[in-house]
Amino acid sequence: SQQGEEDPQALSIQEGENATMNCSYKTSINNLQWYRQNSGRGLVHLILIRSNEREKHSGRLRVTLDTSKKSSSLLITASRAADTASYFCATDRVGDKLIFGTGTRLQVFP
Amino acid sequence: DAGITQSPRHKVTETGTPVTLRCHQTENHRYMYWYRQDPGHGLRLIHYSYGVKDTDKGEVSDGYSVSRSKTEDFLLTLESATSSQTSVYFCATNDGTEPRGYTFGSGTRLTVV
């Protein structure tokens, strides 16, 4: 069964706007990760946030984690057409394997 | 995708035939994983390996077997392919030394007719 569920399933925005994707999960985790997948390609790791962290930044990416609500959000600021891709959250439970959500498809229009 | 090569990239096979997909890594990572990706399901773990000849089942392992005789290679075999195994298969690796992201291959698109 899926551990993570992303919301929304699809998101369309204009270049320059911010994109926010949310992820909810079911059980306690060790860390949460976000990945990007361009059409027809493999997944690329974007950022990892540990369970004892609340916020993390990497370039135009900002990830938050709320373990009390079992949720995370990925914010991409000043979106570009090249950010068009599917984004997946994945949870790493202690002593377990990475479990992926169903993904958010982001379309950024020039 | 540098360091992980999946072969073949595309394959069409008939129902009932055995199929083997190969994942080759040059990362010297200890852990290797096979996932399948289907619309509406995201990625689901089939099997994984935590070392040479050490493998275990994931959440959707029925109908699949794996082997790892060398650190570099992780093979996924469909014993008798069925149409429900039509999917895109991804290999991933992780060195396991600390929490960090997985490295993924480019995938194998398998169609069972």
Side-chain angles (χ1 to χ4, degrees):
Chain A
S1 62
Q2 299 302 129
Q3 163 74 317
E5 296 290 337
E6 285 91 340
D7 172 59
Q9 289 188 323
L11 179 62
S12 296
I13 60 174
Q14 296 290 132
E15 261 192 332
E17 295 180 338
N18 294 342
T20 300
M21 288 159 267
N22 303 296
C23 169
S24 60
Y25 57 91
K26 299 174 183 175
T27 65
S28 297
I29 62 171
N30 192 35
N31 64 71
L32 186 144
Q33 305 177 26
W34 285 91
Y35 289 78
R36 183 188 74 235
Q37 183 181 33
N38 291 92
S39 182
R41 305 296 299 273
L43 279 72
V44 174
H45 179 251
L46 295 176
I47 194 165
L48 180 153
I49 186 165
R50 299 176 189 241
S51 61
N52 61 354
E53 297 175 313
R54 292 297 167 258
E55 187 170 312
K56 202 162 183 181
H57 296 254
S58 177
R60 293 184 295 112
L61 305 180
R62 172 178 169 255
V63 170
T64 61
L65 179 64
D66 186 336
T67 54
S68 67
K69 295 181 179 179
K70 292 187 171 58
S71 67
S72 173
S73 67
L74 172 67
L75 168 68
I76 304 174
T77 60
S79 296
R80 306 165 182 169
D83 294 327
T84 293
S86 291
Y87 292 82
F88 294 87
C89 70
T91 52
D92 183 356
R93 296 177 289 181
V94 176
D96 210 331
K97 273 47 67 187
L98 208 57
I99 305 296
F100 287 83
T102 52
T104 292
R105 294 189 312 278
L106 173 65
Q107 176 78 51
V108 182
F109 292 99
Chain B
D1 299 339
I4 299 179
T5 304
Q6 290 186 234
S7 58
R9 289 298 311 276
H10 303 271
K11 186 171 181 66
V12 180
T13 192
E14 293 186 349
T15 298
T17 60
V19 178
T20 295
L21 309 183
R22 181 180 184 238
C23 176
H24 178 79
Q25 59 142 333
T26 58
E27 312 267 346
N28 200 34
H29 284 174
R30 176 182 174 189
Y31 294 86
M32 298 186 75
Y33 309 84
W34 276 108
Y35 285 88
R36 60 178 288 175
Q37 184 175 31
D38 304 287
H41 290 279
L43 279 84
R44 293 179 291 174
L45 182 65
I46 305 171
H47 280 280
Y48 63 99
S49 169
Y50 40 93
V52 173
K53 296 187 179 177
D54 288 325
T55 65
D56 207 344
K57 297 178 180 180
E59 62 175 312
V60 290
S61 60
D62 287 349
Y64 302 93
S65 63
V66 290
S67 66
R68 190 165 178 205
S69 58
K70 299 185 293 184
T71 298
E72 312 90 88
D73 293 323
F74 193 31
L75 304 180
L76 176 70
T77 297
L78 288 66
E79 307 290 348
S80 177
T82 66
S83 58
S84 65
Q85 293 176 311
T86 292
S87 186
V88 181
Y89 291 86
F90 287 99
C91 174
T93 70
N94 183 272
D95 67 7
T97 56
E98 62 179 80
R100 65 180 64 193
Y102 287 14
T103 304
F104 278 82
S106 297
T108 293
R109 182 173 294 277
L110 176 68
T111 302
V112 183
V113 298

